[in-house]
Amino acid sequence: MSYKIVVDSCCELPENLRQDRRFERVPLGLEVGEYCRMDDETFNQAEFLRKVAEYPKCPKSSCPSPERFMESYDDSAEHIYAVTLSSHLSGSYNSAELGKKLYHEKHGEKQIHVIDSESASGGETQIALKLMELEEAGFSFEKIVEKIEAFRDSIQTYFVLDNLETLRKNGRLSGVKALVASTLNIKPVMGADKGEIIQRSQTIGIKKALGKLAELAAAEVKNPGERRLIITHCNALARAQQVKEQILAKAGFKECIIMDTRGISSMYANDGGVIVTT
């Protein structure tokens, strides 16, 4: 059976899949004052980070319209899957669901399933790659829906950021009871719980925070030999490599993928952020 995997642009796709016709990336919008861009192939991370650093207020994002998702579903593929960033962080999931409803109203029945990743960035990548595996293995649409929801619930997300201001100002830290002053150089190690951001630990300095992140990721993964380690970073390849080495020294994964963040993930992670999903 033919299939298509639609992802919003918070999902980082490995380079070998960016032009793959089985995938379509639906862009969110980025706004830094008067600087407005779509998070598509024209995104320039260095330019964007410079604009964010110069702008005194908080950058913003806008989710794709339901009509844009509907267009992505209008395809000859028999099975369509849409993967969105956490519904606690964006309206992308609701737009994807409304797009599904609009498609059915206009074109009739089609097997379409929308997945709230309850994560972001590499968490969405984990789901997209798993969907591809399940389809290539020949499972039925119904069985894939069942398996992918269970897989989504098993994903662990961790991240360490140099700067939490974007998340804080955009009200995305409601699950965190207290954050210490950045002037003390205390770095929280963050995670996700059903799509909401939580604080897992805290340390003095970024090096120790990354070490704690690696420790948690290695200790909490189940059956690492059957899973991927995905590390995304915002202009911080050396940090990502450090985290990779620390995790793999303690747990052996079937594959490790490191990717730089695109627009939406860069907006939330800020320069220097590292995100790990297992």
Side-chain angles (χ1 to χ4, degrees):
M1 301 289 280
S2 60
Y3 66 94
K4 180 179 180 181
I5 300 168
V6 177
V7 297
D8 67 26
S9 64
C10 192
C11 175
E12 267 69 61
L13 286 176
E15 190 170 350
N16 65 308
L17 295 178
R18 289 177 190 169
Q19 304 302 321
D20 193 307
R21 297 190 65 179
R22 294 171 295 180
F23 291 85
E24 181 176 349
R25 199 165 176 268
V26 176
L28 284 84
L30 297 164
E31 182 180 329
V32 188
E34 295 182 358
Y35 176 85
C36 299
R37 292 290 186 278
M38 296 305 293
D39 183 14
D40 56 20
E41 66 278 356
T42 67
F43 174 73
N44 183 312
Q45 187 192 67
E47 178 185 55
F48 178 75
L49 292 175
R50 186 174 65 254
K51 293 288 185 181
V52 170
E54 295 169 351
Y55 187 57
K57 297 182 181 180
C58 190
K60 298 178 181 179
S61 65
S62 58
C63 66
S65 68
E67 290 77 14
R68 179 63 183 84
F69 275 109
M70 180 181 71
E71 290 173 8
S72 70
Y73 304 152
D74 191 7
D75 188 273
S76 60
E78 295 159 286
H79 300 165
I80 304 283
Y81 307 93
V83 185
T84 73
L85 64 97
S86 169
S87 56
H88 292 283
L89 299 177
S90 167
S92 186
Y93 172 74
N94 288 334
S95 279
E97 280 284 12
L98 285 170
K100 173 182 172 180
K101 182 178 179 181
L102 290 174
Y103 179 90
H104 286 152
E105 289 174 352
K106 183 174 181 180
H107 300 287
E109 285 302 308
K110 189 183 188 77
Q111 289 180 308
I112 302 172
H113 182 62
V114 181
I115 304 119
D116 178 351
S117 72
E118 296 186 352
S119 182
S121 191
E124 291 183 62
T125 311
Q126 292 274 12
I127 293 170
L129 296 181
K130 187 67 173 180
L131 283 167
M132 182 174 67
E133 280 184 2
L134 293 170
E135 275 285 352
E136 295 297 330
F139 288 101
S140 68
F141 179 79
E142 292 77 14
K143 181 57 71 172
I144 290 173
V145 168
E146 176 187 328
K147 284 180 172 291
I148 204 64
E149 293 288 338
F151 178 76
R152 184 272 314 279
D153 293 344
S154 74
I155 294 171
Q156 296 288 338
T157 301
Y158 313 85
F159 60 95
V160 170
L161 310 183
D162 262 342
N163 186 341
L164 289 164
E165 282 303 287
T166 300
L167 286 171
R168 185 182 66 79
K169 289 179 179 178
N170 281 336
R172 302 301 193 260
L173 294 177
S174 58
V176 179
K177 297 188 186 303
L179 285 171
V180 294
S182 59
T183 53
L184 299 177
N185 199 29
I186 296 178
K187 297 294 184 184
V189 179
M190 314 295 282
D193 180 23
K194 296 296 182 182
E196 290 197 89
I197 295 171
I198 58 172
Q199 185 171 334
R200 296 294 313 276
S201 184
Q202 64 183 39
T203 66
I204 303 293
I206 190 73
K207 185 175 181 179
K208 288 184 178 179
L210 293 172
K212 184 63 178 179
L213 180 156
E215 178 186 318
L216 288 170
E220 295 179 353
V221 65
K222 296 178 181 179
N223 303 315
E226 300 173 7
R227 302 187 72 94
R228 288 184 180 87
L229 170 63
I230 296 183
I231 304 172
T232 51
H233 65 91
C234 184
N235 192 35
L237 180 58
R239 289 179 178 178
Q241 293 282 11
Q242 171 194 333
V243 169
K244 171 189 173 181
E245 291 169 8
Q246 290 177 330
I247 294 174
L248 293 184
K250 299 176 181 178
F253 288 78
K254 71 174 184 180
E255 183 181 14
C256 178
I257 300 172
I258 296 179
M259 295 177 287
D260 205 348
T261 55
R262 301 298 296 262
I264 294 298
S265 299
S266 295
M267 186 186 83
Y268 283 120
N270 278 307
D271 202 359
V274 175
I275 306 161
V276 169
T277 60
T278 61

